[in-house]
Amino acid sequence: MIEFEYAAPTDLDEAIGLFAQAGDRATLLAGGTDIIVQLREGLRRADLVIDVKKIPELSQFEYAPETGLRLGASVPCWQIYENESIAAAYPALADAVRIIGGWQIQSRASVGGNLCNASPAADSIPALIALGAVAHLAGPGGRRAVPVAEFCTGPGKNVLQSGELLVALTLPPAHAGSGSAYQRFIPRNEMDIAVVGAGSWVQLDESRQRIAAARIALAAVGPTPRQAVQAAEFLCGKEPTEENLHEAGELAKQVATPISDMRGPAEYRTHLVGVLTRRTLAAAVERAGTFQP
Amino acid sequence: MTPVKKHVTTKINGESVEFLCEPRQSLLEVLRDDLALTGCKEGCNNGNCGACTVVLNGRPVNSCLVLAVEAADASIETVEGIAEQGHLDPVQQCFLEGAALQCGICTPGFIVAAKALLDKNPDPTEAEIRFSLAGNLCRCTGYDKIIRAVQAAAQARLAAQQSS
């Protein structure tokens, strides 16, 4: 691995100052499960590695049913699925972080890092988009908020400007009658990268018989995660019957423009979009039927 | 220019340890090359195989994906700290008795991860064991014996608890 300096600021402003000063010569370290490999294999160069895990705004999370979740950018995966309230309110996110790498990876890898790495196949991003998450950024120019749906701009690329960092993610409160799910297809049982991933969220109406609102997001079907807006709009006001969920899956296929690679041909990936959209919608509806905040 | 070495104080297997490291060095590198704790193995060096698993602040991690400098003021448990006062842990004993190894390179990582699992979940199902050990690879493909050894260790620990 190429030599670099290491700093672990304990204050957000100090981190922003260091990052702005070093510019493109610096990289941020949270869980390190992507960054350390990239530095070691020469895929990323840095003279300075800034460890952000000692900054309270990034390392802490807060959840209240009335206000929702504020998730610091460096909070590791296990803290989400081992927190029963958070896992019950945001099951799609819990589904995703349970299958990012193995147990050892989940001890370190953060959702914020998974987002910033901006892999088209990232497991947590469709879940975040389906759940309506917002990314909160800070940099020398101040603070701003960007919906996670607009955060990724290409493979490995995102909206962060030079010197800007991801501070936290916020998820809106989960109401009674809401549910969500994330599933991916991989040829192995665990420890693999999604051939296709799908995250779905639904809010049932007061009768619990119809879908009042829905969001669907997909991974590994294009250069960035994709939102299936038309499929979600189709479901509004409809009963979650097998036919309607199937139709939503067919509509979701229309936003998929996958490539063919070693993980699967484009045609197969498009087929998987239909299957996983339908299955995650069904799982989300089932969870919505019993969820009480 | 070589970066200034960092002075790190940490706790390894219950004992306070100090070392100097370069920021680029992994915890695995320092454990093996500087502290002579060669139980953790370098397999893939990119977080796939789990042969370098140690417990960092109560959580299993791949030590190849931790910078040694990040271990400052932490608590680390390695495979060397698992046997107590010369007595093998039930996980080690059951791996031995069940011949749950072939070449042995993956074994320390499996033992550290399996013990961490049983400390958290003393009576796991087979599916839970397989899911929790998915981050540990055995390329001699002896998984079934490994799973059976972990099941036997869980039973041995529960029996020891009941009799005490």
Side-chain angles (χ1 to χ4, degrees):
Chain A
M1 188 151 31
I2 310 222
E3 307 288 351
F4 52 77
E5 301 281 353
Y6 170 88
T10 55
D11 177 85
L12 181 56
D13 289 333
E14 187 190 344
I16 291 168
L18 270 174
F19 198 26
Q21 199 183 355
D24 296 337
R25 295 186 300 106
T27 192
L28 302 175
L29 172 72
T33 54
D34 285 316
I35 289 289
I36 292 176
V37 176
Q38 290 166 7
L39 289 167
R40 182 173 291 145
E41 294 179 357
L43 301 170
R44 185 185 286 265
R45 297 286 295 265
D47 296 336
L48 173 67
V49 169
I50 304 172
D51 185 348
V52 296
K53 291 190 293 299
K54 294 195 167 73
I55 305 167
E57 282 108 315
L58 277 83
S59 63
Q60 293 172 2
F61 64 92
E62 290 150 41
Y63 172 70
E66 306 77 32
T67 51
L69 175 65
R70 185 200 169 280
L71 184 68
S74 71
V75 173
C77 291
W78 69 271
Q79 296 217 8
I80 295 162
Y81 62 72
E82 288 197 4
N83 184 305
E84 284 178 22
S85 310
I86 295 174
Y90 308 106
L93 186 59
D95 289 343
V97 294
R98 268 192 203 100
I99 54 172
I100 293 179
W103 199 18
Q104 293 92 334
I105 296 292
Q106 293 155 16
S107 294
R108 295 258 298 164
S110 64
V111 174
N114 195 229
L115 176 59
C116 289
N117 197 51
S119 161
D123 289 307
S124 73
I125 305 178
L128 290 171
I129 295 172
L131 290 165
V134 173
H136 299 268
L137 321 180
R143 294 189 177 227
R144 63 183 176 127
V146 177
V148 170
E150 294 162 26
F151 185 85
C152 298
T153 54
K157 292 193 166 64
N158 58 46
V159 298
L160 288 166
Q161 302 288 315
S162 178
E164 200 173 36
L165 58 89
L166 175 67
V167 179
L169 296 157
T170 52
L171 277 68
H175 301 297
S178 72
S180 62
Y182 174 79
Q183 292 177 19
R184 72 178 175 198
F185 177 80
I186 54 172
R188 307 180 67 219
N189 288 329
E190 307 300 338
M191 294 282 288
D192 206 350
I193 293 169
V195 179
V196 167
S200 293
W201 168 87
V202 297
Q203 174 70 57
L204 300 180
D205 69 7
E206 282 182 16
S207 73
R208 302 287 184 262
Q209 301 300 310
R210 287 172 190 278
I211 294 171
R215 273 189 299 267
I216 300 161
L218 307 167
V221 299
T224 64
R226 288 270 166 80
Q227 204 170 347
V229 175
Q230 211 193 332
E233 281 172 357
F234 163 79
L235 289 170
C236 291
K238 293 203 172 64
E239 289 181 32
T241 59
E242 209 169 302
E243 295 78 42
N244 284 335
L245 300 191
H246 176 82
E247 182 57 24
E250 293 303 304
L251 289 168
K253 285 183 185 177
Q254 293 176 9
V255 301
T257 56
I259 53 168
S260 292
D261 65 8
M262 63 174 190
R263 294 188 203 287
E267 191 186 1
Y268 183 53
R269 284 190 150 122
T270 305
H271 169 73
L272 284 171
V273 168
V275 174
L276 292 177
T277 298
R278 179 164 43 82
R279 287 183 186 169
T280 52
L281 281 167
V285 167
E286 195 183 332
R287 288 166 168 176
T290 55
F291 175 67
Q292 289 292 336
Chain B
M1 188 186 78
T2 308
V4 181
K5 286 200 171 188
K6 297 276 184 181
H7 178 243
V8 174
T9 305
T10 191
K11 195 178 265 188
I12 302 178
N13 300 326
E15 284 180 29
S16 183
V17 173
E18 289 179 57
F19 59 82
L20 287 172
C21 67
E22 291 173 32
R24 62 154 193 89
Q25 283 183 292
S26 69
L27 178 59
L28 171 66
E29 210 177 318
V30 169
L31 287 172
R32 287 184 56 84
D33 298 348
D34 297 334
L35 302 174
L37 292 166
T38 54
C40 47
K41 304 301 182 198
E42 180 183 314
C44 66
N45 214 26
N46 63 19
N48 274 293
C49 80
C52 64
T53 301
V54 301
V55 171
L56 176 68
N57 295 332
R59 303 286 313 177
V61 299
N62 295 313
S63 60
C64 74
L65 293 188
V66 178
L67 298 178
V69 53
E70 289 184 82
D73 305 317
S75 173
I76 299 162
E77 292 153 54
T78 71
V79 72
E80 286 88 349
I82 286 184
E84 279 187 54
Q85 296 164 348
H87 292 285
L88 294 181
D89 183 89
V91 175
Q92 293 170 310
Q93 192 66 41
C94 291
F95 266 66
L96 190 63
E97 288 171 5
L101 61 146
Q102 290 180 42
C103 86
I105 286 282
C106 69
T107 310
F110 267 105
I111 285 177
V112 171
K115 180 172 182 294
L117 168 65
L118 298 183
D119 286 345
K120 201 168 122 53
N121 180 359
D123 195 12
T125 63
E126 180 179 339
E128 285 170 334
I129 296 171
R130 288 186 185 272
F131 190 77
S132 298
L133 298 182
N136 292 82
L137 302 184
C138 167
R139 293 297 83 174
C140 305
T141 69
Y143 289 114
D144 280 337
K145 284 185 168 183
I146 291 170
I147 303 305
R148 286 201 289 276
V150 178
Q151 288 173 318
Q155 294 317 307
R157 283 167 56 124
L158 290 170
Q161 230 170 31
Q162 275 162 9
S163 66
S164 67

